[in-house]
């Protein structure tokens, strides 16, 4: 288990980031600054960059389970390969095998799937939830 500090570029902006890794055969659990709990499976690499308006993570390899702390003003997005998974307060798992071979399991709440180049705001996510609720009526 290793934690390293670096800077990453996310959608044309640079953010200070923490890098969380696990080695082959190792698993680790981390509590992020907002209270989100991340469980990394074996041989995983996760970059975490928080800003005032968003919580942005990049799963470069491996698998992570995210028990997302609720924060309606800052969407929580995990980019993996050619997809981005966004939630406000949810429990979900993302496994990245290759850039196009991804697996998403949602155990609680809802997750919006988009192209990583699409910046999702808190209002976008609320509109998505409202449209989904109206469709069920």
């Amino acid at each position: 288990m290793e934690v390293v500090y670096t800077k990453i570029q996310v959608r044309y902006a640079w953010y200070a980031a923490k890098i969380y890794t696990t080695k082959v055969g190792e698993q680790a659990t981390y509590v992020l600054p907002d209270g989100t709990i991340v469980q990394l499976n074996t041989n995983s690499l996760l970059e975490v960059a928080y800003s005032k308006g968003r919580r942005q993570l990049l799963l470069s390899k491996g698998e992570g389970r995210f028990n997302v702390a609720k924060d309606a003003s800052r969407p929580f997005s995990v980019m993996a390969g050619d997809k981005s998974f966004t939630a406000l307060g949810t429990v979900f798992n993302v496994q990245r095998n290759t850039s196009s071979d991804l697996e998403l399991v949602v155990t609680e709440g809802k997750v919006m799937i988009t192209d990583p180049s699409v910046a999702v705001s808190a209002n976008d996510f609320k509109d998505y939830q409202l449209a989904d609720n109206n469709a069920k009526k």
Side-chain angles (χ1 to χ4, degrees), residues 14-31:
W14 286 92
Y15 297 96
K18 269 188 171 179
I19 298 175
Y20 299 87
T21 62
T22 54
K23 298 175 184 172
V24 173
E26 179 183 34
Q27 296 177 334
T29 300
Y30 301 99
V31 179

Side-chain angles (χ1 to χ4, degrees), residues 10-118:
V10 179
R11 296 190 181 103
Y12 314 111
W14 286 92
Y15 297 96
K18 269 188 171 179
I19 298 175
Y20 299 87
T21 62
T22 54
K23 298 175 184 172
V24 173
E26 179 183 34
Q27 296 177 334
T29 300
Y30 301 99
V31 179
L32 302 183
D34 66 341
T36 293
I37 299 169
V38 176
Q39 295 171 301
L40 287 183
N41 206 348
T42 182
N43 198 27
S44 296
L45 173 63
L46 179 70
E47 298 176 59
V48 178
Y50 282 11
S51 69
K52 185 176 179 179
R54 67 183 57 254
R55 300 174 286 174
Q56 194 73 53
L57 293 81
L58 174 63
L59 183 64
S60 298
K61 67 176 181 176
E63 180 178 11
R65 182 176 192 274
F66 306 92
N67 188 339
V68 181
K70 294 187 185 326
D71 185 344
S73 67
R74 291 192 311 163
F76 183 95
S77 296
V78 177
M79 294 185 300
D82 59 359
K83 297 290 180 230
S84 180
F85 308 96
T86 303
L88 291 177
T90 300
V91 180
F92 67 101
N93 190 86
V94 176
Q95 181 174 342
R96 179 179 179 170
N97 300 315
T98 66
S99 65
S100 60
D101 182 16
L102 305 168
E103 182 178 329
L104 170 68
V105 177
V106 180
T107 54
E108 181 182 314
K110 297 176 183 176
V111 174
M112 180 188 299
I113 303 170
T114 62
D115 182 276
S117 64
V118 175

